[in-house]
Amino acid sequence: NRLLEKSDLQTVLTERYQTDKYDVQRGHEASSLDSSRSDSLQQEMAQMRIRHQEELTELHKKRGELAQTVIELNNQIQQKDREIQNNEARMLEYQQQIGSLEGDCRELRSSLQVCQLLRSVQAESELELANQTLKDEYDALQITFSALEEKLRKTTEDNQELVSRWMAEKAVEANRLNAENEKDTRRRQAKLQKELADAAKEPLPIEQSVTLILGMRTLMCWLTMEEKEQGRHPQTDQSAERPGVCAEVRVPSTALHVFEAHDGEVNTVRFSPGSRLLATGGMDRRVKLWEVVAGRCEAKGALTGSNAGITSIEFDAAVSL
């Protein structure tokens, strides 16, 4: 731009110089008086031409330098253009890679969605299958439960019927046993009354002052009437008459000790040979052993295994108890 401006200025100055030259020539021809002025003007023009020539040379020099600079800049621009083209090629390649990667991503997303859908469908199918299996098992269990419940109901009804029949038979058996026991009791009481009447007729040795009476469910120890009238216990009175002789025997009338012996009727009572243990047997099919301590009976054990009520007890005299 500067070179162009200076060229334009040089053109203007040249035109002015030509115009002045023509003017000088015309003035030289018109008047000789202006010769001196024309000389001076020519000198100035020569100086201006020289100066302009120098400036033009300088401008040509600068023009060459600027041309070299322009060439170098053109080379740099071409290099930059090549770099830009390479970058654009690489960018296009990268864009293609990005496009392919995006396609792969879309495919992977679609495949992932398909897999998730398949998994969900498979899970739902498995869940439905499991639910159906559980439902079938529940139905089977419900049917089994209904059958078992019906069986239980029938069994309960049969059991109730059997219980009612058993209770009726038990009531009949109990009535029969009560009747037999009542007959046996009356027979024993009559026998006892007879024995007591026979014993009252003759003197008998008294080794035990405690008489046992059998009841329905209790065992009672009685004091003799003679001991009651005298107001003394047979074990504590050491100043009594000669043992083994009794002037009078009467039926006991006062209970010394009453206790529950068996769950049913008491059928038999027996002292051990040493008179230390007492055995009782009843309708509960048990033989119970009692120890007589200070006028009281303490339970020591029970024997079981009988198939019917106990009606008789015997101690082995050869075995020391």
Short mmCIF file of all heavy atoms in Angstrom, two decimals, residues 247-280:
data_model
loop_
_atom_site.label_atom_id
_atom_site.label_comp_id
_atom_site.label_asym_id
_atom_site.label_seq_id
_atom_site.Cartn_x
_atom_site.Cartn_y
_atom_site.Cartn_z
N ALA A 247 -59.22 -109.24 128.51
CA ALA A 247 -60.44 -109.60 129.21
C ALA A 247 -61.67 -109.36 128.35
O ALA A 247 -62.67 -110.04 128.51
CB ALA A 247 -60.54 -108.82 130.52
N GLU A 248 -61.56 -108.32 127.41
CA GLU A 248 -62.73 -107.98 126.60
C GLU A 248 -62.27 -107.41 125.28
O GLU A 248 -61.36 -106.60 125.25
CB GLU A 248 -63.59 -106.96 127.34
CG GLU A 248 -64.88 -106.64 126.61
CD GLU A 248 -65.73 -105.65 127.41
OE1 GLU A 248 -65.25 -105.21 128.47
OE2 GLU A 248 -66.83 -105.31 126.95
N VAL A 249 -62.89 -107.80 124.22
CA VAL A 249 -62.58 -107.30 122.88
C VAL A 249 -63.84 -106.67 122.30
O VAL A 249 -64.89 -107.32 122.31
CB VAL A 249 -62.08 -108.42 121.95
CG1 VAL A 249 -61.85 -107.87 120.55
CG2 VAL A 249 -60.82 -109.05 122.51
N ARG A 250 -63.71 -105.43 121.81
CA ARG A 250 -64.84 -104.72 121.22
C ARG A 250 -64.48 -104.18 119.83
O ARG A 250 -63.31 -104.05 119.50
CB ARG A 250 -65.28 -103.58 122.13
CG ARG A 250 -65.76 -104.04 123.49
CD ARG A 250 -66.19 -102.85 124.33
NE ARG A 250 -66.60 -103.30 125.65
CZ ARG A 250 -67.02 -102.47 126.62
NH1 ARG A 250 -67.09 -101.17 126.37
NH2 ARG A 250 -67.37 -102.94 127.78
N VAL A 251 -65.52 -103.83 119.08
CA VAL A 251 -65.31 -103.28 117.74
C VAL A 251 -64.77 -101.85 117.87
O VAL A 251 -65.33 -101.05 118.64
CB VAL A 251 -66.62 -103.29 116.95
CG1 VAL A 251 -66.41 -102.63 115.57
CG2 VAL A 251 -67.13 -104.70 116.80
N PRO A 252 -63.68 -101.47 117.10
CA PRO A 252 -63.13 -100.09 117.18
C PRO A 252 -64.19 -99.08 116.73
O PRO A 252 -64.99 -99.34 115.84
CB PRO A 252 -61.95 -100.11 116.21
CG PRO A 252 -61.59 -101.56 116.09
CD PRO A 252 -62.85 -102.32 116.23
N SER A 253 -64.13 -97.92 117.37
CA SER A 253 -65.12 -96.88 117.06
C SER A 253 -64.50 -95.51 116.77
O SER A 253 -65.21 -94.60 116.35
CB SER A 253 -66.11 -96.73 118.23
OG SER A 253 -65.40 -96.38 119.42
N THR A 254 -63.18 -95.31 117.02
CA THR A 254 -62.53 -94.00 116.82
C THR A 254 -61.39 -94.15 115.81
O THR A 254 -60.57 -95.05 115.95
CB THR A 254 -61.97 -93.45 118.14
OG1 THR A 254 -63.05 -93.36 119.07
CG2 THR A 254 -61.35 -92.06 117.92
N ALA A 255 -61.36 -93.27 114.78
CA ALA A 255 -60.30 -93.30 113.76
C ALA A 255 -59.07 -92.59 114.28
O ALA A 255 -59.14 -91.43 114.72
CB ALA A 255 -60.79 -92.64 112.48
N LEU A 256 -57.93 -93.26 114.23
CA LEU A 256 -56.66 -92.65 114.65
C LEU A 256 -56.01 -91.86 113.53
O LEU A 256 -55.44 -90.79 113.74
CB LEU A 256 -55.70 -93.74 115.15
CG LEU A 256 -54.29 -93.26 115.58
CD1 LEU A 256 -54.43 -92.32 116.77
CD2 LEU A 256 -53.42 -94.45 115.93
N HIS A 257 -56.08 -92.35 112.26
CA HIS A 257 -55.43 -91.68 111.13
C HIS A 257 -56.19 -92.04 109.86
O HIS A 257 -56.49 -93.21 109.62
CB HIS A 257 -53.97 -92.12 111.02
CG HIS A 257 -53.24 -91.45 109.89
ND1 HIS A 257 -53.18 -90.09 109.75
CD2 HIS A 257 -52.53 -91.97 108.86
CE1 HIS A 257 -52.48 -89.79 108.68
NE2 HIS A 257 -52.07 -90.93 108.12
N VAL A 258 -56.55 -91.05 109.06
CA VAL A 258 -57.28 -91.23 107.80
C VAL A 258 -56.44 -90.65 106.67
O VAL A 258 -55.96 -89.52 106.77
CB VAL A 258 -58.66 -90.54 107.85
CG1 VAL A 258 -59.39 -90.76 106.52
CG2 VAL A 258 -59.49 -91.08 109.00
N PHE A 259 -56.22 -91.38 105.57
CA PHE A 259 -55.43 -90.89 104.45
C PHE A 259 -55.88 -91.59 103.18
O PHE A 259 -56.48 -92.66 103.22
CB PHE A 259 -53.92 -91.13 104.68
CG PHE A 259 -53.54 -92.58 104.82
CD1 PHE A 259 -53.07 -93.32 103.73
CD2 PHE A 259 -53.66 -93.24 106.03
CE1 PHE A 259 -52.73 -94.64 103.85
CE2 PHE A 259 -53.33 -94.57 106.16
CZ PHE A 259 -52.86 -95.27 105.08
N GLU A 260 -55.60 -90.94 102.04
CA GLU A 260 -55.92 -91.48 100.73
C GLU A 260 -54.91 -92.56 100.38
O GLU A 260 -53.71 -92.29 100.30
CB GLU A 260 -55.90 -90.37 99.66
CG GLU A 260 -56.99 -89.34 99.82
CD GLU A 260 -58.35 -89.87 99.43
OE1 GLU A 260 -58.37 -90.83 98.64
OE2 GLU A 260 -59.36 -89.35 99.92
N ALA A 261 -55.39 -93.77 100.13
CA ALA A 261 -54.49 -94.88 99.85
C ALA A 261 -54.42 -95.19 98.36
O ALA A 261 -53.34 -95.37 97.80
CB ALA A 261 -54.92 -96.12 100.63
N HIS A 262 -55.57 -95.26 97.66
CA HIS A 262 -55.61 -95.64 96.26
C HIS A 262 -56.59 -94.74 95.50
O HIS A 262 -57.41 -94.05 96.12
CB HIS A 262 -56.02 -97.11 96.10
CG HIS A 262 -54.98 -98.07 96.60
ND1 HIS A 262 -53.96 -98.56 95.80
CD2 HIS A 262 -54.79 -98.62 97.83
CE1 HIS A 262 -53.20 -99.38 96.51
NE2 HIS A 262 -53.68 -99.42 97.76
N ASP A 263 -56.50 -94.81 94.15
CA ASP A 263 -57.42 -94.06 93.31
C ASP A 263 -58.82 -94.69 93.30
O ASP A 263 -59.80 -94.00 92.99
CB ASP A 263 -56.88 -93.97 91.88
CG ASP A 263 -55.58 -93.18 91.83
OD1 ASP A 263 -55.38 -92.35 92.73
OD2 ASP A 263 -54.79 -93.40 90.88
N GLY A 264 -58.92 -95.97 93.58
CA GLY A 264 -60.21 -96.64 93.63
C GLY A 264 -60.44 -97.27 95.01
O GLY A 264 -59.92 -96.80 96.03
N GLU A 265 -61.22 -98.34 95.00
CA GLU A 265 -61.52 -99.01 96.27
C GLU A 265 -60.29 -99.75 96.79
O GLU A 265 -59.49 -100.27 96.02
CB GLU A 265 -62.69 -99.99 96.09
CG GLU A 265 -64.01 -99.32 95.76
CD GLU A 265 -64.13 -98.99 94.29
OE1 GLU A 265 -63.14 -99.24 93.56
OE2 GLU A 265 -65.17 -98.47 93.87
N VAL A 266 -60.16 -99.80 98.13
CA VAL A 266 -59.10 -100.58 98.79
C VAL A 266 -59.66 -101.96 99.08
O VAL A 266 -60.66 -102.10 99.81
CB VAL A 266 -58.63 -99.89 100.09
CG1 VAL A 266 -57.54 -100.71 100.76
CG2 VAL A 266 -58.14 -98.49 99.78
N ASN A 267 -59.02 -103.00 98.49
CA ASN A 267 -59.53 -104.37 98.61
C ASN A 267 -58.83 -105.19 99.69
O ASN A 267 -59.46 -106.05 100.30
CB ASN A 267 -59.40 -105.09 97.26
CG ASN A 267 -60.28 -104.47 96.20
OD1 ASN A 267 -61.32 -103.87 96.52
ND2 ASN A 267 -59.90 -104.63 94.94
N THR A 268 -57.55 -104.95 99.91
CA THR A 268 -56.81 -105.80 100.85
C THR A 268 -55.71 -105.01 101.53
O THR A 268 -55.18 -104.04 100.95
CB THR A 268 -56.21 -107.02 100.12
OG1 THR A 268 -55.49 -107.83 101.06
CG2 THR A 268 -55.26 -106.58 99.01
N VAL A 269 -55.40 -105.41 102.77
CA VAL A 269 -54.35 -104.78 103.59
C VAL A 269 -53.57 -105.90 104.27
O VAL A 269 -54.15 -106.88 104.74
CB VAL A 269 -54.95 -103.82 104.63
CG1 VAL A 269 -53.84 -103.23 105.50
CG2 VAL A 269 -55.73 -102.72 103.95
N ARG A 270 -52.25 -105.78 104.32
CA ARG A 270 -51.42 -106.81 104.97
C ARG A 270 -50.19 -106.16 105.57
O ARG A 270 -49.51 -105.37 104.93
CB ARG A 270 -51.01 -107.86 103.94
CG ARG A 270 -50.18 -109.01 104.51
CD ARG A 270 -51.02 -109.92 105.35
NE ARG A 270 -52.05 -110.57 104.54
CZ ARG A 270 -52.96 -111.41 105.02
NH1 ARG A 270 -52.99 -111.67 106.32
NH2 ARG A 270 -53.83 -111.97 104.22
N PHE A 271 -49.91 -106.50 106.86
CA PHE A 271 -48.68 -106.08 107.52
C PHE A 271 -47.56 -107.04 107.17
O PHE A 271 -47.79 -108.23 106.92
CB PHE A 271 -48.87 -106.05 109.04
CG PHE A 271 -49.40 -104.74 109.54
CD1 PHE A 271 -50.73 -104.59 109.84
CD2 PHE A 271 -48.55 -103.66 109.71
CE1 PHE A 271 -51.23 -103.38 110.30
CE2 PHE A 271 -49.04 -102.45 110.17
CZ PHE A 271 -50.38 -102.30 110.47
N SER A 272 -46.34 -106.56 107.18
CA SER A 272 -45.18 -107.42 106.99
C SER A 272 -44.96 -108.25 108.25
O SER A 272 -45.49 -107.92 109.32
CB SER A 272 -43.95 -106.56 106.67
OG SER A 272 -43.62 -105.76 107.80
N PRO A 273 -44.17 -109.32 108.15
CA PRO A 273 -43.93 -110.14 109.35
C PRO A 273 -43.32 -109.34 110.50
O PRO A 273 -43.62 -109.62 111.66
CB PRO A 273 -42.97 -111.23 108.84
CG PRO A 273 -43.28 -111.34 107.39
CD PRO A 273 -43.62 -109.97 106.93
N GLY A 274 -42.53 -108.35 110.21
CA GLY A 274 -41.96 -107.53 111.28
C GLY A 274 -42.84 -106.38 111.69
O GLY A 274 -42.45 -105.58 112.55
N SER A 275 -43.99 -106.26 111.08
CA SER A 275 -44.95 -105.18 111.39
C SER A 275 -44.38 -103.80 111.16
O SER A 275 -44.86 -102.82 111.74
CB SER A 275 -45.44 -105.31 112.85
OG SER A 275 -46.08 -106.55 113.05
N ARG A 276 -43.36 -103.69 110.32
CA ARG A 276 -42.78 -102.37 110.02
C ARG A 276 -43.37 -101.79 108.74
O ARG A 276 -43.51 -100.56 108.61
CB ARG A 276 -41.26 -102.48 109.86
CG ARG A 276 -40.56 -101.15 109.66
CD ARG A 276 -39.06 -101.32 109.68
NE ARG A 276 -38.60 -102.18 108.61
CZ ARG A 276 -38.30 -101.75 107.40
NH1 ARG A 276 -38.44 -100.48 107.09
NH2 ARG A 276 -37.89 -102.60 106.46
N LEU A 277 -43.74 -102.62 107.77
CA LEU A 277 -44.32 -102.17 106.52
C LEU A 277 -45.77 -102.61 106.43
O LEU A 277 -46.16 -103.66 106.98
CB LEU A 277 -43.55 -102.73 105.32
CG LEU A 277 -42.11 -102.24 105.14
CD1 LEU A 277 -41.47 -102.93 103.94
CD2 LEU A 277 -42.08 -100.74 104.97
N LEU A 278 -46.55 -101.82 105.72
CA LEU A 278 -47.95 -102.10 105.48
C LEU A 278 -48.17 -102.07 103.97
O LEU A 278 -47.78 -101.12 103.30
CB LEU A 278 -48.84 -101.03 106.14
CG LEU A 278 -50.34 -101.16 105.89
CD1 LEU A 278 -50.88 -102.43 106.50
CD2 LEU A 278 -51.07 -99.94 106.44
N ALA A 279 -48.77 -103.09 103.43
CA ALA A 279 -49.06 -103.19 102.00
C ALA A 279 -50.56 -103.12 101.79
O ALA A 279 -51.33 -103.76 102.52
CB ALA A 279 -48.51 -104.49 101.42
N THR A 280 -50.94 -102.32 100.81
CA THR A 280 -52.35 -102.17 100.48
C THR A 280 -52.54 -102.42 99.00
O THR A 280 -51.69 -102.07 98.18
CB THR A 280 -52.86 -100.76 100.83
OG1 THR A 280 -52.12 -99.80 100.08
CG2 THR A 280 -52.69 -100.46 102.31
#
